[in-house]
């Protein structure tokens, strides 16, 4: 079968290529650039725990060595600290990393992948579909035709793939604008990020009265000043004045020594593609959605797009057409991003327009700083990873289903599990391999060698039920799981979302849940018919 064509060599496209390779699916990455990214410290990203873990898993690179996991977060208003958050567990802390460093780690991992070909200086200009595959043409030194099984557009906000498929991209332009500076200096808050609203010092030039500071390695900080609506020019002199005023305000009145490394203007747009699938063509990342106001991070959602799509393409590539499974990519991912965009659009007038929060959100008791903190830290409706409870893949009417602390469709908690070879691993380490995960909650098993309990109690019956599932599955055992009683059985998707929790070994319910997760039985090429567009 032909490889998957991935258009775009940014973090999302490279992550998708690595995720497919991990599941033995070949791909071709069409990179319109030279294969190397410009070093820009003013262009950085914040990754949440799940997306940072995904990249670490695929690259083998501990990202904490390349970025900074925040030790804490603080919100200030005028001269007062209004909110402080300490991250005792650094694994759950947001990770701040320069985008070129992140992309470099992904590119380095791809050099060792026999299943991935990166074609540099290859700009897409044509896409043609037919029932058995897709053909793409690129310009460059030589015009080249590429044959693929599927094509995924990860080619950014001005996506050529999206335009060639005539997919609308409605939304709002310039929702927020920020002046950005990356500089090396020493601030009072080591490894802590902060948001300062209405700082007590006077800002040079136009200002909306908000500045954010995020640490990077080697004493580097990224500072973002929110700009008022309009097209006011941010000159170098104005930006230097902002730097000096802000550093002096944070350091007791005198500007500390600093080295200005990079500057820029970051403009946030909010847009959502009408469709994320057109036959054998898909959109992911900024080609499908743009968000980023109020501290939210669009790359997080792009990486989740890749994680969601990879296992579905892999299953289809290996086992034949699963149209319902492929359709679920748009159903699941577009709904999650749309919900975050709605939440941001509802909050923007409250936080930027000066309105009273309680007057607009009935029953809300949180202040503005708390709502902004949610966006920056990946919490609440602004920033929390979405779930797939309403997914077309969600099983229905399971008699043995029981509640645990993780809702169906949400991401599972990363607990320690015993693998089939008897080793102790993290649950997250077993994700992304294309297999379903079946996790038995069995207190006491962690203190005994696997050989002593693998043939005892309900294990043989559960092992037989797992073997009979309609898709390969890995059986794991956990000492405990939040909210789960002993002998609870969890079914987990390859991308780490909970399908269901069952009360004991229920082969019929387990099989039904697994089949629903796959979108039903596979269809052969003969019965699949023409690909819909």
């Amino acid at each position: 079968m032909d490889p998957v064509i991935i258009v775009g060599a940014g973090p999302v496209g490279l992550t998708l290529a690595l995720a497919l390779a991990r599941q033995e699916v070949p791909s071709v990455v069409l990179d319109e650039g030279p294969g190397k990214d410009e070093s820009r410290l003013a262009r950085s990203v914040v990754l949440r725990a799940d997306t940072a873990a995904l990249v670490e898993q695929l690259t083998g690179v501990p990202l904490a060595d390349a970025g900074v996991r925040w030790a804490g977060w603080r919100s200030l208003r005028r001269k007062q600290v209004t909110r402080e958050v300490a991250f005792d567990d650094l694994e759950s802390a947001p990770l701040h990393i320069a985008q070129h460093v992140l992309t470099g780690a992904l590119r380095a991992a791809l050099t060792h992948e026999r299943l991935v070909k990166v074609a540099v200086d290859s700009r897409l200009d044509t896409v043609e579909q037919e029932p058995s595959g897709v053909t793409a043409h690129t310009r460059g030194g030589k015009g080249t035709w590429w044959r693929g099984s599927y094509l995924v557009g990860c080619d950014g906000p001005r996506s050529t793939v999206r335009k060639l498929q005539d997919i609308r991209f409605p939304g709002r332009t310039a929702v927020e604008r920020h002046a950005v500076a990356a500089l090396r200096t020493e601030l009072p808050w080591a490894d802590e990020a902060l948001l300062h609203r209405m700082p007590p010092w006077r800002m040079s030039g136009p200002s909306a009265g908000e500045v954010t500071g995020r640490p990077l390695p080697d004493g580097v900080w990224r500072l973002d000043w929110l700009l008022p609506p309009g097209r006011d020019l941010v000159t170098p002199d104005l930006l230097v004045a902002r730097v000096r005023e802000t550093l002096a305000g944070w350091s007791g009145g005198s500007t500390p020594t600093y080295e200005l490394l990079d500057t820029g203007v970051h403009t946030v747009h909010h847009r959502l593609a009408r469709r994320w699938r057109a036959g054998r063509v898909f959109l992911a990342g900024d080609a499908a959605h743009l968000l980023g106001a109020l501290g939210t991070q669009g790359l997080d959602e792009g990486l989740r797009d890749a994680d969601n799509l990879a296992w579905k393409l892999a299953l289809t590539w290996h086992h034949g057409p699963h149209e319902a499974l492929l359709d679920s990519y748009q159903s699941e991912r577009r709904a999650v991003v749309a919900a975050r965009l709605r939440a941001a659009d509802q909050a923007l007038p409250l936080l930027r327009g000066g309105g009273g929060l309680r007057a607009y959100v009935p029953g809300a008791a949180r202040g503005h700083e708390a709502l902004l903190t949610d966006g920056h830290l990946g919490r609440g409706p602004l920033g929390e990873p979405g779930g797939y409870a309403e997914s077309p893949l969600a099983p229905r009417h399971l008699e043995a289903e029981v509640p645990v602390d993780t809702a169906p469709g949400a991401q599972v908690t990363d607990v320690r599990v015993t693998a089939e070879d008897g080793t102790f691993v993290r649950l997250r380490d077993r994700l992304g391999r294309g297999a379903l995960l079946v996790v038995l909650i069995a207190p006491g098993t962690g203190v005994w060698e696997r050989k002593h309990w693998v043939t005892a109690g309900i294990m043989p019956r559960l092992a037989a039920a797992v073997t009979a599932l309609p898709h390969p599955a890995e059986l794991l055992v956990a000492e405990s799981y939040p909210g789960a009683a002993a002998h609870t059985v969890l079914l987990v998707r390859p991308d780490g979302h909970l399908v269901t929790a069952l009360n004991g070994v229920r082969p019929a319910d387990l099989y039904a849940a697994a089949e629903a997760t796959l979108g039903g039985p596979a269809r052969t090429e003969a019965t699949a018919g023409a690909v819909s567009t």
Side-chain angles (χ1 to χ4, degrees):
M1 193 171 179
D2 294 316
V4 174
I5 300 173
I6 299 171
V7 183
V12 175
L14 300 177
T15 296
L16 178 59
L18 284 169
L20 288 172
R22 200 164 190 241
Q23 297 172 67
E24 296 296 317
V25 176
S27 64
V28 174
V29 180
L30 303 181
D31 183 358
E32 71 175 41
K36 184 177 181 180
D37 297 276
E38 181 184 7
S39 298
R40 291 289 311 275
L41 290 173
R43 191 180 185 192
S44 58
V45 295
V46 179
L47 301 181
R48 312 306 178 201
D50 62 309
T51 50
L54 171 65
V55 175
E56 288 181 333
Q57 185 185 67
L58 294 174
T59 62
V61 174
L63 293 185
D65 296 341
V68 169
R69 290 192 186 274
W70 298 345
W73 165 270
R74 64 181 59 212
S75 298
L76 300 93
R77 189 173 186 271
R78 300 189 188 278
K79 295 182 179 182
Q80 293 185 332
V81 176
T82 57
R83 178 170 291 260
E84 291 184 275
V85 177
F87 296 105
D88 298 325
D89 177 14
L90 288 183
E91 292 299 318
S92 66
L95 174 82
H96 188 211
I97 186 170
Q99 184 163 319
H100 72 270
V101 174
L102 174 66
T103 307
L106 292 164
R107 286 188 185 275
L110 281 177
T111 62
H112 305 292
E113 280 295 345
R114 60 180 175 81
L115 292 175
V116 181
K117 174 182 175 62
V118 179
V120 300
D121 298 318
S122 298
R123 184 176 180 82
L124 180 77
D125 61 12
T126 304
V127 174
E128 297 177 356
Q129 292 195 61
E130 57 189 71
S132 60
V134 60
T135 304
H137 184 266
T138 54
R139 295 177 295 178
K142 299 178 181 178
T144 305
W145 287 95
W146 304 89
R147 179 67 178 173
S149 53
Y150 296 92
L151 184 145
V152 185
C154 305
D155 49 343
R158 296 180 175 86
S159 171
T160 300
V161 174
R162 188 183 64 242
K163 294 172 183 175
L164 289 174
Q165 299 304 305
D166 195 26
I167 297 174
R168 293 183 59 203
F169 198 38
R172 301 171 59 191
T173 300
V175 176
E176 287 185 350
R177 292 173 67 239
H178 298 261
V180 183
L183 51 94
R184 182 176 284 110
T185 191
E186 185 175 340
L187 291 179
W189 312 284
D191 291 346
E192 289 189 8
L194 69 146
L195 170 69
H196 200 157
R197 304 188 76 210
M198 303 177 68
W201 58 88
R202 180 172 178 174
M203 289 280 196
S204 298
S207 171
E210 183 175 302
V211 57
T212 305
R214 302 180 181 96
L216 283 166
D218 302 322
V220 175
W221 287 79
R222 170 175 165 168
L223 305 186
D224 289 60
W225 293 268
L226 178 66
L227 298 171
R231 298 179 178 272
D232 300 281
L233 183 64
V234 181
T235 65
D237 289 344
L238 175 62
L239 198 50
V240 169
R242 286 281 180 90
V243 168
R244 296 181 62 83
E245 292 161 353
T246 301
L247 295 185
W250 285 343
S251 302
S254 60
T255 303
T257 302
Y258 70 91
E259 178 186 2
L260 189 60
L261 303 171
D262 192 16
T263 62
V265 174
H266 174 53
T267 303
V268 176
H269 309 288
H270 278 180
R271 295 188 178 276
L272 185 65
R274 292 289 191 194
R275 293 180 293 148
W276 291 26
R277 182 188 183 193
R280 290 181 174 268
V281 175
F282 299 82
L283 300 178
D286 287 351
H289 51 77
L290 295 175
L291 70 161
L294 307 178
T296 59
Q297 295 286 320
L299 180 58
D300 258 344
E301 294 298 356
L303 296 178
R304 292 178 186 128
D305 294 344
D307 197 24
N308 183 290
L309 183 57
W311 73 272
K312 297 173 181 179
L313 283 176
L315 190 148
T316 301
W317 197 90
H318 286 296
H319 302 289
H322 282 68
E323 294 305 311
L325 183 65
L326 295 178
D327 284 342
S328 73
Y329 166 68
Q330 172 177 303
S331 301
E332 292 179 345
R333 294 300 307 144
R334 192 177 186 280
V336 165
V337 176
R340 289 191 67 180
L341 284 171
R342 283 194 300 271
D345 286 343
Q346 291 169 359
L348 274 165
L350 316 180
L351 300 175
R352 303 304 187 218
L357 182 63
R358 296 187 185 188
Y360 287 89
V361 185
R366 297 183 299 173
H368 290 184
E369 281 76 12
L371 193 57
L372 280 167
T373 297
D374 280 350
H376 283 277
L377 300 187
R379 300 174 176 178
L382 284 179
E384 191 171 41
Y388 307 137
E390 303 302 319
S391 167
L393 305 182
R396 305 287 188 257
H397 312 301
L398 300 175
E399 293 183 2
E401 190 168 39
V402 292
V404 295
D405 286 359
T406 303
Q411 292 179 330
V412 293
T413 301
D414 186 28
V415 298
R416 191 181 80 155
V417 296
T418 305
E420 292 183 345
D421 61 2
T423 59
F424 293 114
V425 296
R426 304 301 301 182
L427 178 57
R428 189 173 277 156
D429 294 338
R430 311 310 292 180
L431 300 175
R433 300 167 184 263
L436 298 171
L437 302 182
V438 177
V439 185
L440 171 66
I441 311 306
T445 51
V447 300
W448 300 97
E449 288 188 41
R450 184 176 183 273
K451 64 182 181 181
H452 294 306
W453 48 260
V454 70
T455 59
I458 64 174
M459 277 296 293
R461 187 164 176 247
L462 179 58
V466 170
T467 301
L469 292 179
H471 185 70
E474 182 178 7
L475 176 56
L476 305 168
V477 178
E479 276 267 352
S480 62
Y481 187 88
H487 296 168
T488 299
V489 175
L490 310 178
L491 179 63
V492 182
R493 296 175 10 159
D495 58 355
H497 288 258
L498 180 68
V499 178
T500 188
L502 301 175
N503 179 22
V505 181
R506 305 296 181 106
D509 279 355
L510 190 62
Y511 189 97
E515 189 171 56
T517 302
L518 305 176
R523 293 186 295 165
T524 65
E525 290 286 350
T527 60
V531 176
S532 63
T533 59

